[in-house]
Amino acid sequence: MIINGNDRLVVVGASLAGLRAVEAARKADYRGTITLIGAEAELPYDRPPLSKAFLEGDSGEAPVFCTEEYLRDELGVDLRLGGPATALDVESKSVHVGDDEVPYDSIVIATGSRPRTLPGASDLAGVHGLRSLADARAIRSDLREGAHVVIVGAGFIGSEVASSARKRGAHVTIVEAQPVPLFRAVGPLGTAVAQLHRLNGTTLLCGVGVEAIRGEGRVADVLLDDGRVLPADLVVVGIGVEPATDWLAGSQLHLENGISCDSTLHAGAEGVYAAGDVVQWLNEMYGKRQRMENWTAAAEQGAHAARNALNPTDAKPYSTVPYFWSDWYGSRIQYVGIADDADDVEIVEGMPEEGGTWIALYRSGERLRGALAINGQADIMKYRTMIARGKSWSDAKDFASTRRVRRLERVG
């Protein structure tokens, strides 16, 4: 199938979103050429394991999604890895990769994000961010039993690294500048989620910043802005990410906290769509603009953007109830919805200070706005469905009560 001469699809970013874009195009019976451009030499790989199983285990194998044969032979992809896109020309409809120009009829941009850094920290050995496979390999080579590990930032990446480091027998301290960890992600219950650190022997210091990361050639300690000094054999900086849009300067695309797109993931220029961490789009589910940095959104947006790019006259909005998960110390943390405008939060099952399973609901007016579950895999997606259907707060409370009673009956 080729619609209106759309016979050249280019996907920039050999990421999860990029791979799903390629697969969705072929599933839609698209028979034109597909070119996949990736900055790294690696085949598309799964990023969540980099801060979890990859650091904990002995295998250095990349957690790739697929083989090169699958991409080239089964999907018919012109695979161009190891060289980043350097510019986009929307007038000539071409992507610059070094000295080469790759023409397109439609394009999906899925270049993801890059980690924020601390000034001067990159000059010392033993100081790392974590975004790429190369980053994860560098961290793992420095991670050993008995090492003093300092993690700057108590977000999900930092917390996952802390969990992996504790499993490897390291002494771990997390430094978080905000008074409440994870506030942007889960609101005031960030402190409750962070109880998992205390229960598993990780020291969490909140409301304090980093003055300097010090050492001679290699990191030796971390000076905090309150004067405390933390010994450090390894420092991991996890203070968030920025959308990778530098290469799009001068492209005429609107860049504001990512590539600004409409509800269909269209970036404004003819044939240009975006997906994953790099896109800020209008989520009609909430009537607000969002940029989501999670696995689920990347996978869904990649496929959606490709379908719309290939058939723009019938483009469908991408609207969703956000969902993310994270694994710490053998516990699964899951969140659905948004937390930033909740009027109230109520724990409806369990007690955070005891660990185990607990569930909290977020209310906005008389509507269910979000749900947080620790080891509550059997319930969380039901709450996601309730949010999507506009269920009321009382509906959610009734459901929580019914589920709790049934569990008690099974135990009894």
Side-chain angles (χ1 to χ4, degrees):
M1 177 185 69
I2 296 176
I3 299 175
N4 298 327
N6 194 342
D7 59 1
R8 295 176 300 186
L9 171 64
V10 172
V11 178
V12 184
S15 57
L16 169 63
L19 175 62
R20 293 294 184 259
V22 170
E23 292 176 328
R26 291 307 189 208
K27 286 178 181 176
D29 198 28
Y30 175 68
R31 298 171 189 171
T33 64
I34 299 178
T35 302
L36 179 61
I37 299 168
E40 297 179 64
E42 306 285 349
L43 291 165
Y45 60 84
D46 201 12
R47 294 188 188 275
L50 298 184
S51 54
K52 307 182 189 78
F54 186 83
L55 294 184
E56 296 171 6
D58 297 325
S59 172
E61 291 187 15
V64 296
F65 287 113
C66 58
T67 64
E68 183 173 344
E69 289 73 22
Y70 170 74
L71 289 168
R72 292 191 187 278
D73 300 337
E74 293 189 40
L75 297 182
V77 173
D78 176 8
L79 195 59
R80 304 194 184 190
L81 301 178
T86 52
L88 174 69
D89 188 333
V90 299
E91 298 294 337
S92 67
K93 301 186 77 170
S94 63
V95 180
H96 293 238
V97 183
D99 295 329
D100 295 334
E101 291 187 24
V102 182
Y104 67 84
D105 294 304
S106 57
I107 183 171
V108 175
I109 301 173
T111 46
S113 56
R114 60 175 181 272
R116 295 191 177 98
T117 59
L118 289 174
S122 60
D123 296 334
L124 294 174
V127 180
H128 308 284
L130 178 53
R131 184 63 184 169
S132 68
L133 181 60
D135 294 334
R137 284 173 171 157
I139 292 171
R140 198 178 66 166
S141 69
D142 286 337
L143 185 57
R144 63 182 187 278
E145 184 176 358
H148 291 275
V149 179
V150 177
I151 297 170
V152 184
F156 288 106
I157 292 296
S159 295
E160 289 168 0
V161 173
S163 172
S164 297
R166 286 293 297 144
K167 189 170 183 179
R168 293 284 296 271
H171 307 286
V172 182
T173 301
I174 302 176
V175 179
E176 171 56 56
Q178 298 300 316
V180 177
L182 299 169
F183 188 83
R184 177 170 166 262
V186 300
L189 285 181
T191 301
V193 176
Q195 291 279 6
L196 288 169
H197 292 307
R198 178 184 61 81
L199 293 170
N200 289 277
T202 293
T203 300
L204 176 62
L205 306 177
C206 290
V208 61
V210 172
E211 183 70 23
I213 299 176
R214 306 184 302 188
E216 295 292 334
R218 183 173 186 86
V219 65
D221 60 43
V222 176
L223 173 64
L224 304 184
D225 60 13
D226 62 4
R228 282 179 288 180
V229 176
L230 305 177
D233 302 301
L234 166 64
V235 174
V236 178
V237 179
I239 55 175
V241 297
E242 297 174 340
T245 58
D246 288 355
W247 69 283
L248 294 168
S251 67
Q252 302 180 36
L253 299 186
H254 182 202
L255 306 178
E256 182 180 357
N257 186 29
I259 303 170
S260 184
C261 293
D262 67 12
S263 62
T264 70
L265 305 176
H266 182 228
E270 183 182 1
V272 181
Y273 289 76
D277 290 12
V278 77
V279 63
Q280 185 231 102
W281 96 109
L282 176 62
N283 186 354
E284 293 184 353
M285 180 69 66
Y286 295 95
K288 63 191 297 185
R289 304 193 67 81
Q290 292 185 299
R291 188 172 70 83
M292 298 198 302
E293 302 163 3
N294 62 66
W295 195 98
T296 304
E300 292 176 348
Q301 288 177 351
H304 200 96
R307 289 191 292 265
N308 284 347
L310 296 175
N311 192 8
T313 59
D314 192 32
K316 304 291 194 303
Y318 172 73
S319 62
T320 187
V321 176
Y323 165 67
F324 64 79
W325 81 91
S326 187
D327 294 323
W328 307 0
Y329 312 104
S331 289
R332 171 63 57 96
I333 301 162
Q334 295 169 288
Y335 187 85
V336 294
I338 58 177
D340 57 5
D341 61 352
D343 299 324
D344 188 28
V345 182
E346 182 177 336
I347 296 174
V348 295
E349 183 169 349
M351 300 176 67
E353 60 271 21
E354 295 180 357
T357 297
W358 60 275
I359 298 172
L361 303 180
Y362 295 66
R363 176 180 64 81
S364 181
E366 295 306 315
R367 298 279 291 276
L368 175 66
R369 196 65 163 177
L372 170 66
I374 311 299
N375 299 320
Q377 292 92 319
D379 290 3
I380 193 67
M381 286 308 181
K382 295 180 175 64
Y383 286 116
R384 191 186 192 203
T385 300
M386 293 179 74
I387 295 169
R389 293 178 177 174
K391 294 295 185 179
S392 70
W393 178 247
S394 60
D395 289 335
K397 290 289 295 296
D398 288 345
F399 175 77
S401 177
T402 299
R403 298 288 288 183
R404 187 169 59 250
V405 168
R406 288 177 180 173
R407 270 189 282 270
L408 289 172
E409 289 175 346
R410 286 198 296 269
V411 172

